[in-house]
Amino acid sequence: MKVSDHKNAQLIEEAKATLINNDLGGYTVPTHGLYPFQWNWDSAIVALGWLPFDEPRAWEETTSLLSAQWQTGMVPHVVFHQQSDTYFPGPDIWGVKNELDSTSITQPPVLASVIKILYEETKDRALADSQIKTIIPQLIHSHLWWYKHRDPENTGLVVSYHPWESGMDNSPAWDDALEAVPCIDWEYTRRDTSHIDASERPHKKEYDRFLYLVDFFRKMNFDDTLIYQDCPYRVNDVSIISILHRATKDLLWLCEKTGVDNEQTEYLKERLNLTASAMNKLWCAKTNMFHSFDTRSNSLCQARTSAGLLPFFAGLVNEQQATPLISVLDNWLEHSQFAISSTHPEDPNYEPQRYWRGPIWLHVNWMIMLGLKDYGFSTQAERITDGSRACIYASGFNESFHAETGARSGGADFSWTAAMGLYWLL
Ligand code: 9YW
């Protein structure tokens, strides 16, 4: 379904206004109140939203994020550019002492894939050429960090230390792995549930463990080696692995276009091969899809989540896996007139309105859609595009959408949804 041209033009104006209103000068907050800082993968997606109407601002979104890159190469999950007491936990709890305040973890590295799009689609070539020169070394630094620090044993599969790193905070995929994490022993006041109804947010038992991990990183002095050894939560997240893989390919494409060819790019190519040869570990022949892997209990994470479809985005689905995985996806889509929900509707932990346990997230659908196109599954790619657009028609630019009704779930006036509208759907 498509709405009238008039209605579409109106939605485009609303989407632009959402970004402009969430712009705090060089970076865009996901939404005011609930998320008042710069988030890593949000900013990458948001840059795509700026692109059609303000190219310099699109690039600036990415450079402001990269300005917080750690000396190690890590690009943090949140950059606390200014103070705000509407969010918890703030910089005092994270305890990072860098020039720019940030959290001590990262988020799915979709940035290089976005930069490739910016580079290809920016009309002002002088702008693109000048930006890319400084950005490529920063991206290389970040990707080397991922592979060296998050896969020090060269298994081919990087690890994540916190559900917030996955960007899919309370996904049922993390339930068992999180259960093994102790709870913190101090009192705290959450801020999220003063903005959004608790029925749409993670439970306290999850927050208690989220915060234990935050404390743990600080106690380890943010030392990657110590954290790798002792972190009670250590997961091969299939979403991060897939996004990183695609982003590394996109980064190498950028390097080739701009004549960067050195030991580091050779190393990244080797890493791509290593990951491709390790992916079978994440395939489950019972569910016919990919799952994350808990390296502490040595077992696959049980839940069937949309992350398990992201290997399409990475080109990491082999010939034998593609057909059964497409059947899973077809069945998934039969449950809703909208798009892919974050958890499969037949999964016992599916909750259609609770954050990453059911609602539809448009940027995840966009990545799955791109992957399906690459594999030639154009019918499914179109179906996901239409269903994603239907979410915006149903309730606007929300953080996410109720998996069955398309109603608002989470925050309103949300930047990445407006960006997906502007770049992809409207
Ligand atoms: C947090 C901002 C972020 C997103 C994540 C989402 C949520 C909460 O909000 O995280 O405190 O990091 O799960 O994907 O980047 O929109």
Side-chain angles (χ1 to χ4, degrees), residues 30 35 39 41-42 77-78 87 107 164 167-169 355-356 361 399 414 416:
Y35 296 131
W39 261 258
W41 72 331
D42 294 65
H77 124 267
V78 181
Y87 178 82
Q107 258 194 330
W164 280 338
M168 303 181 178
D169 312 8
Y355 224 45
W356 288 93
W361 298 76
E399 180 173 11
F414 222 84
W416 61 15

Side-chain angles (χ1 to χ4, degrees), residues 19 107 117 128 190-191 250 254 312 319 328 335 358 364 379 421:
L19 292 192
Q107 258 194 330
I117 295 174
R190 279 171 69 169
R191 291 300 161 95
D250 290 342
L254 283 166
F312 276 129
E319 263 178 48
V328 169
H335 287 80
V364 175
T379 310

Side-chain angles (χ1 to χ4, degrees), residues 1-17:
M1 182 188 93
K2 265 260 182 193
V3 289
S4 67
D5 288 351
H6 172 71
K7 175 75 183 156
N8 206 63
Q10 213 179 335
L11 283 170
I12 290 177
E13 288 317 307
E14 275 173 38
K16 284 185 190 168

Side-chain angles (χ1 to χ4, degrees), residues 11 29 36 49 87 95 108-109 123 135 142 187-188 204 226 239 277 298 314 317 331 345 349 363 389-390:
L11 283 170
V29 296
Y87 178 82
K123 295 194 180 73
I135 290 177
S142 149
E187 293 296 315
Y188 60 96
K204 178 175 179 334
L226 293 180
S239 157
S277 61
N298 256 317
V317 182
N331 162 271
N349 292 301
H363 65 300
R389 190 181 291 117

